[in-house]
Amino acid sequence: MSFPEQRPGFHDTVAAGVSLKPQHFEQAMASRLRGIWYEVHPENYLMQGGPRRRGLRQVAADRDISFHGVGASLGGPDLPDADHLKAIRQLVDDIQPVRLSEHAVWSSIDQTYLAELLPLPRTQPVLLNLVAGVDVYQSAMGRTILIENPTNYLTVHSDMDEADFLLEVSDRTGCGLLLDINNLYLSAHNVGIDPKAYIKALPPKKVGEIHIAGFDADPQFGHRLLIDSHASAVADPVWSLLDYALTHLGPKPVLIERDANLPEFSVLEQEVHRAQRMLDRLRELDHA
């Protein structure tokens, strides 16, 4: 079964964006950064009305919005919940996001939602679960999605490398990939994944979006274990890995993720501007 690709947005050029929170709606609409776009977790906007849904609709009227789901449990033992998918589809039809993504993880079992994005064992049976989950999700949405690589905190049983695992899912379902550079950096630190080999294994045409974010040391284990907190500024080594990824993959939409410990919107704009400069330099080199 084939689905429409991610729909075109308002902007003709690939640009940098930032996570959007309700307290920043007014600043987001007033931002003067060229091409800035915004991403939200659709699960936070499933109410039928109210100021939050109304504010998102107003931003979406003249800015590109991307949906990044966190509740589907695509790779779990059970297929994604039908009621959840129906609610997401209604929001998709209302807001018309330019991109729609989810996580290649599991987060529920026996109808119990764990509120965690848990890495999957990379085995053939789990591969089939993830393929089935992506197929059901895409059928419910009526379009292709992007799936994001997880943060690994311990080594899981594997029949294949993570990049090959996700590419196999992409080949079987037609979905694209969302490369989370912060997740990859943390996985390299925590379990020894080779981040550059991982990036080089990805065909550029498969990657539809890139994320970067801040991380923190685990409260118990310190810097021996890094946590994907989205609660601090993007660290320098993550910026460096982003530069490496863009050199291999070419210009891609880049998102600054920030979900906690929110600073002033102007501080987030500075990180967006830094990412945009990297994209601009890449284009300059391509045209040199």
Side-chain angles (χ1 to χ4, degrees):
M1 184 180 297
S2 61
F3 304 96
E5 298 295 328
Q6 308 291 329
R7 78 169 182 84
F10 294 108
H11 308 293
D12 294 329
T13 58
V14 173
V18 65
S19 298
L20 178 63
K21 304 303 177 187
Q23 54 265 53
H24 289 155
F25 279 162
E26 290 187 9
Q27 297 96 319
M29 294 178 67
S31 178
R32 301 177 67 87
L33 288 183
R34 172 174 52 88
I36 189 172
W37 55 278
Y38 303 109
E39 186 170 88
V40 300
H41 299 312
E43 288 83 357
N44 292 332
Y45 295 89
L46 297 183
M47 68 291 293
Q48 294 303 308
R52 180 179 294 188
R53 180 79 168 254
R54 183 169 58 251
L56 178 61
R57 191 179 292 118
Q58 289 171 346
V59 176
D62 60 9
R63 300 286 186 176
D64 286 347
I65 298 290
S66 178
F67 281 1
H68 189 47
V70 295
S73 189
L74 292 179
D78 305 315
L79 289 174
D81 179 75
D83 290 337
H84 176 76
L85 296 184
K86 181 179 179 180
I88 297 291
R89 175 59 187 265
Q90 290 174 346
L91 186 66
V92 167
D93 289 344
D94 182 21
I95 302 298
Q96 289 294 309
V98 294
R99 285 179 299 280
L100 179 59
S101 58
E102 248 289 356
H103 295 77
V105 300
W106 70 280
S107 53
S108 65
I109 187 169
D110 295 333
Q111 298 183 329
T112 299
Y113 182 64
L114 305 175
E116 296 287 351
L117 300 173
L118 301 170
L120 296 165
R122 296 187 296 275
T123 64
Q124 288 298 325
V126 175
L127 175 69
L128 296 178
N129 286 349
L130 183 54
V131 167
V134 172
D135 277 340
V136 167
Y137 198 99
Q138 291 187 144
S139 293
M141 298 305 126
R143 63 160 84 180
T144 58
I145 66 169
L146 308 175
I147 57 172
E148 179 185 312
N149 54 296
T151 301
N152 292 279
Y153 297 105
L154 50 82
T155 302
V156 297
H157 180 69
S158 302
D159 296 334
M160 62 192 84
D161 291 339
E162 187 174 280
D164 293 336
F165 182 79
L166 296 178
L167 287 171
E168 183 66 22
V169 176
S170 175
D171 289 341
R172 296 193 188 196
T173 65
C175 76
L177 302 181
L178 192 165
L179 176 60
D180 191 306
I181 296 292
N182 191 60
N183 290 1
L184 181 54
Y185 177 78
L186 268 56
S187 295
H189 177 90
N190 293 338
V191 302
I193 288 177
D194 184 336
K196 292 184 176 181
Y198 191 118
I199 291 168
K200 290 176 67 175
L202 300 178
K205 66 180 182 179
K206 291 283 191 180
V207 179
E209 185 175 316
I210 293 176
H211 281 185
I212 55 176
F215 60 82
D216 288 296
D218 181 80
Q220 180 177 356
F221 297 101
H223 285 277
R224 288 181 294 165
L225 184 68
L226 300 181
I227 304 298
D228 184 31
S229 64
H230 298 183
S232 57
V234 179
D236 285 341
V238 175
W239 284 110
S240 295
L241 193 57
L242 171 64
D243 184 62
Y244 182 88
L246 290 175
T247 300
H248 170 67
L249 299 170
K252 302 289 180 183
V254 175
L255 183 87
I256 314 298
E257 284 191 290
R258 190 66 176 261
D259 293 321
N261 192 25
L262 293 177
E264 294 295 324
F265 189 75
S266 60
V267 175
L268 298 175
E269 284 185 306
Q270 292 173 15
E271 291 193 301
V272 173
H273 182 58
R274 180 173 177 177
Q276 187 62 52
R277 289 202 311 269
M278 295 174 70
L279 290 169
D280 291 342
R281 285 197 300 269
L282 192 63
R283 293 192 194 90
E284 292 170 1
L285 290 174
D286 287 343
H287 291 93

Coordinates of all heavy atoms in Angstrom, one line a residue, residues 113-159:
Y113 N 0.0 1.8 29.4 CA 0.9 2.7 28.8 C 2.0 3.1 29.9 O 1.6 3.5 31.0 CB 0.2 4.0 28.4 CG 1.1 5.0 27.7 CD1 1.8 4.7 26.5 CD2 1.3 6.2 28.3 CE1 2.7 5.6 25.9 CE2 2.2 7.2 27.7 CZ 2.8 6.8 26.5 OH 3.7 7.8 25.9
L114 N 3.3 2.9 29.5 CA 4.4 3.1 30.5 C 5.0 4.5 30.5 O 5.8 4.8 31.4 CB 5.5 2.1 30.2 CG 5.0 0.6 30.2 CD1 6.2 -0.3 29.7 CD2 4.5 0.2 31.5
A115 N 4.6 5.3 29.6 CA 5.1 6.7 29.5 C 6.6 6.7 29.4 O 7.3 7.6 29.9 CB 4.7 7.6 30.7
E116 N 7.2 5.7 28.7 CA 8.6 5.6 28.4 C 8.8 5.3 26.9 O 7.9 4.6 26.3 CB 9.3 4.6 29.2 CG 9.2 4.8 30.7 CD 10.2 5.9 31.2 OE1 11.0 6.3 30.3 OE2 10.1 6.4 32.3
L117 N 9.9 5.7 26.3 CA 10.3 5.3 25.0 C 11.4 4.3 25.0 O 12.6 4.6 25.1 CB 10.7 6.6 24.2 CG 9.7 7.7 24.1 CD1 10.2 9.0 23.5 CD2 8.4 7.2 23.3
L118 N 11.0 3.0 25.1 CA 12.0 2.0 25.4 C 12.5 1.3 24.1 O 11.8 1.0 23.2 CB 11.2 0.9 26.2 CG 10.6 1.4 27.5 CD1 9.7 0.3 28.1 CD2 11.7 1.8 28.5
P119 N 13.9 1.2 24.1 CA 14.5 0.6 22.9 C 14.0 -0.8 22.6 O 13.6 -1.6 23.6 CB 16.0 0.6 23.2 CG 16.1 1.7 24.3 CD 14.9 1.6 25.1
L120 N 14.1 -1.2 21.4 CA 13.6 -2.6 21.0 C 14.8 -3.5 20.8 O 15.8 -3.1 20.3 CB 12.9 -2.5 19.6 CG 11.6 -1.6 19.6 CD1 11.2 -1.3 18.2 CD2 10.5 -2.4 20.4
P121 N 14.6 -4.8 21.2 CA 15.5 -5.8 20.8 C 15.5 -5.9 19.2 O 14.4 -5.9 18.6 CB 15.0 -7.1 21.4 CG 14.1 -6.7 22.5 CD 13.5 -5.3 22.0
R122 N 16.7 -5.9 18.6 CA 16.7 -5.9 17.1 C 16.8 -7.3 16.6 O 17.8 -7.8 16.1 CB 17.9 -5.0 16.7 CG 17.7 -3.5 17.1 CD 18.8 -2.7 16.5 NE 20.1 -3.0 17.0 CZ 20.7 -2.5 18.1 NH1 19.9 -1.7 18.9 NH2 21.9 -2.8 18.4
T123 N 15.6 -8.0 16.7 CA 15.5 -9.4 16.3 C 14.4 -9.4 15.2 O 13.7 -8.5 15.0 CB 15.0 -10.3 17.5 OG1 13.7 -9.8 17.9 CG2 16.0 -10.2 18.7
Q124 N 14.4 -10.5 14.5 CA 13.4 -10.7 13.4 C 12.0 -10.6 13.9 O 11.1 -9.9 13.3 CB 13.6 -12.0 12.7 CG 14.9 -12.0 11.8 CD 14.9 -10.9 10.7 OE1 13.8 -10.7 10.1 NE2 16.0 -10.3 10.4
P125 N 11.6 -11.3 15.0 CA 10.2 -11.1 15.5 C 9.8 -9.7 15.8 O 8.7 -9.2 15.5 CB 10.1 -12.0 16.7 CG 11.2 -13.0 16.5 CD 12.3 -12.3 15.8
V126 N 10.7 -8.9 16.5 CA 10.5 -7.5 16.8 C 10.4 -6.7 15.6 O 9.6 -5.7 15.5 CB 11.5 -7.0 17.9 CG1 11.3 -5.5 18.1 CG2 11.4 -7.8 19.2
L127 N 11.3 -7.0 14.6 CA 11.2 -6.3 13.3 C 9.8 -6.4 12.7 O 9.3 -5.4 12.3 CB 12.3 -6.9 12.4 CG 12.2 -6.3 11.0 CD1 12.7 -4.9 10.9 CD2 13.1 -7.1 10.0
L128 N 9.2 -7.6 12.8 CA 7.9 -7.7 12.2 C 6.9 -6.9 13.0 O 5.9 -6.4 12.4 CB 7.5 -9.2 12.2 CG 8.4 -10.1 11.3 CD1 7.9 -11.6 11.4 CD2 8.3 -9.7 9.9
N129 N 7.0 -6.9 14.3 CA 6.1 -6.1 15.2 C 6.2 -4.6 14.7 O 5.2 -3.9 14.6 CB 6.5 -6.2 16.6 CG 6.1 -7.5 17.3 OD1 5.3 -8.3 16.7 ND2 6.6 -7.7 18.5
L130 N 7.4 -4.1 14.6 CA 7.6 -2.7 14.2 C 7.0 -2.4 12.8 O 6.4 -1.4 12.6 CB 9.1 -2.3 14.3 CG 9.4 -0.8 14.0 CD1 8.6 0.1 14.9 CD2 10.9 -0.6 14.2
V131 N 7.3 -3.3 11.9 CA 6.7 -3.1 10.5 C 5.2 -3.1 10.6 O 4.6 -2.2 10.0 CB 7.2 -4.3 9.6 CG1 6.4 -4.3 8.3 CG2 8.7 -4.1 9.3
A132 N 4.6 -4.0 11.4 CA 3.1 -4.0 11.5 C 2.6 -2.7 12.1 O 1.6 -2.1 11.7 CB 2.7 -5.2 12.3
G133 N 3.3 -2.2 13.2 CA 2.9 -1.0 13.8 C 3.0 0.2 12.9 O 2.1 1.1 12.9
V134 N 4.1 0.3 12.1 CA 4.2 1.4 11.2 C 3.1 1.3 10.1 O 2.5 2.3 9.7 CB 5.6 1.4 10.5 CG1 5.7 2.4 9.4 CG2 6.7 1.7 11.6
D135 N 2.9 0.1 9.6 CA 1.8 0.0 8.6 C 0.5 0.4 9.1 O -0.3 1.1 8.4 CB 1.7 -1.5 8.2 CG 2.8 -1.9 7.1 OD1 3.3 -1.0 6.4 OD2 3.0 -3.1 7.0
V136 N 0.1 0.0 10.3 CA -1.1 0.4 10.9 C -1.2 1.9 11.1 O -2.2 2.6 10.8 CB -1.4 -0.3 12.2 CG1 -2.5 0.3 13.0 CG2 -1.7 -1.8 12.0
Y137 N -0.1 2.5 11.6 CA -0.1 3.9 11.8 C -0.2 4.7 10.5 O -1.0 5.7 10.4 CB 1.2 4.3 12.5 CG 1.2 5.7 13.2 CD1 1.0 5.8 14.6 CD2 1.4 6.8 12.5 CE1 1.0 7.0 15.2 CE2 1.4 8.1 13.1 CZ 1.2 8.1 14.5 OH 1.2 9.4 15.1
Q138 N 0.5 4.3 9.5 CA 0.5 5.0 8.2 C -0.9 4.8 7.6 O -1.5 5.8 7.0 CB 1.5 4.5 7.3 CG 2.9 4.9 7.7 CD 4.0 4.6 6.8 OE1 5.0 5.3 6.6 NE2 3.9 3.4 6.1
S139 N -1.5 3.7 7.7 CA -2.9 3.5 7.2 C -3.9 4.4 7.8 O -4.7 5.0 7.2 CB -3.3 2.0 7.3 OG -2.5 1.2 6.5
A140 N -3.7 4.5 9.2 CA -4.7 5.4 9.9 C -4.5 6.8 9.6 O -5.5 7.6 9.6 CB -4.5 5.2 11.4
M141 N -3.2 7.3 9.3 CA -3.0 8.7 9.0 C -3.2 9.0 7.5 O -3.4 10.2 7.1 CB -1.5 9.0 9.4 CG -1.2 8.9 10.8 SD -2.4 9.8 11.9 CE -2.9 8.5 13.0
G142 N -3.1 8.0 6.6 CA -3.2 8.2 5.2 C -2.0 8.9 4.6 O -2.1 9.5 3.5
R143 N -0.9 8.7 5.2 CA 0.4 9.3 4.7 C 1.6 8.6 5.3 O 1.4 7.9 6.3 CB 0.5 10.8 5.0 CG 0.5 11.1 6.5 CD 1.1 12.5 6.8 NE 0.1 13.5 6.7 CZ 0.4 14.8 6.8 NH1 1.6 15.2 7.1 NH2 -0.6 15.7 6.8
T144 N 2.7 8.7 4.7 CA 3.9 8.2 5.2 C 4.3 8.9 6.5 O 4.0 10.1 6.7 CB 5.1 8.2 4.2 OG1 5.3 9.6 3.8 CG2 4.7 7.4 3.0
I145 N 5.1 8.3 7.3 CA 5.6 8.9 8.5 C 7.2 8.7 8.5 O 7.7 8.0 7.7 CB 5.0 8.3 9.8 CG1 5.5 6.8 10.0 CG2 3.5 8.4 9.8 CD1 5.1 6.3 11.4
L146 N 7.8 9.4 9.5 CA 9.2 9.2 9.8 C 9.3 8.5 11.1 O 8.5 8.8 12.0 CB 9.9 10.5 9.9 CG 9.8 11.5 8.7 CD1 10.5 12.8 9.0 CD2 10.3 10.9 7.4
I147 N 10.3 7.6 11.3 CA 10.5 6.9 12.6 C 11.9 7.3 13.1 O 12.8 7.4 12.4 CB 10.3 5.4 12.5 CG1 11.3 4.8 11.4 CG2 8.9 5.0 12.1 CD1 11.3 3.2 11.4
E148 N 11.9 7.5 14.4 CA 13.1 8.0 15.1 C 13.9 6.9 15.8 O 13.3 6.1 16.5 CB 12.7 9.1 16.1 CG 13.9 9.7 16.8 CD 13.5 10.7 17.9 OE1 12.7 11.6 17.6 OE2 14.0 10.6 19.0
N149 N 15.2 7.0 15.7 CA 16.1 6.1 16.4 C 16.0 6.4 17.9 O 15.9 7.5 18.3 CB 17.5 6.3 15.9 CG 18.0 7.7 16.0 OD1 17.5 8.6 15.3 ND2 19.0 8.0 16.8
P150 N 16.1 5.4 18.7 CA 15.9 5.5 20.2 C 17.2 6.0 20.9 O 18.3 5.9 20.3 CB 15.5 4.1 20.7 CG 16.3 3.2 19.7 CD 16.2 3.9 18.4
T151 N 17.1 6.4 22.1 CA 18.3 6.5 23.0 C 18.5 5.2 23.7 O 17.5 4.6 24.2 CB 18.0 7.6 24.1 OG1 17.8 8.8 23.4 CG2 19.3 7.7 25.0
N152 N 19.7 4.7 23.6 CA 20.0 3.4 24.3 C 20.7 3.6 25.6 O 21.8 4.3 25.6 CB 20.9 2.5 23.3 CG 20.1 2.1 22.1 OD1 19.4 1.1 22.1 ND2 20.3 2.8 21.0
Y153 N 20.2 3.0 26.6 CA 20.9 3.1 28.0 C 21.5 1.8 28.4 O 22.3 1.8 29.3 CB 19.8 3.5 29.0 CG 19.2 4.9 28.7 CD1 17.9 5.0 28.2 CD2 19.9 6.0 28.9 CE1 17.3 6.2 27.9 CE2 19.4 7.3 28.6 CZ 18.1 7.3 28.1 OH 17.5 8.6 27.8
L154 N 21.3 0.7 27.7 CA 21.9 -0.5 27.9 C 21.9 -1.3 26.6 O 21.1 -1.0 25.8 CB 21.3 -1.3 29.1 CG 19.8 -1.5 29.1 CD1 19.4 -2.7 28.3 CD2 19.4 -1.8 30.6
T155 N 22.7 -2.3 26.5 CA 22.8 -3.1 25.3 C 21.6 -4.1 25.2 O 21.3 -4.7 26.2 CB 24.1 -3.9 25.3 OG1 25.2 -3.0 25.3 CG2 24.2 -4.7 24.0
V156 N 20.9 -4.1 24.1 CA 19.8 -5.0 23.9 C 20.2 -6.1 23.0 O 21.2 -6.0 22.2 CB 18.6 -4.2 23.3 CG1 18.1 -3.2 24.3 CG2 18.9 -3.6 22.0
H157 N 19.5 -7.2 23.0 CA 19.8 -8.3 22.1 C 19.6 -7.9 20.7 O 18.6 -7.3 20.3 CB 18.8 -9.5 22.5 CG 19.1 -10.7 21.6 ND1 20.2 -11.5 21.7 CD2 18.3 -11.3 20.6 CE1 20.1 -12.4 20.8 NE2 19.0 -12.3 20.2
S158 N 20.5 -8.3 19.8 CA 20.5 -7.8 18.5 C 20.9 -8.8 17.5 O 21.9 -9.5 17.7 CB 21.4 -6.5 18.3 OG 21.1 -5.5 19.2
D159 N 20.1 -8.9 16.4 CA 20.5 -9.7 15.2 C 21.2 -8.8 14.2 O 21.7 -9.3 13.2 CB 19.3 -10.4 14.6 CG 18.7 -11.4 15.6 OD1 19.5 -12.0 16.4 OD2 17.5 -11.7 15.5

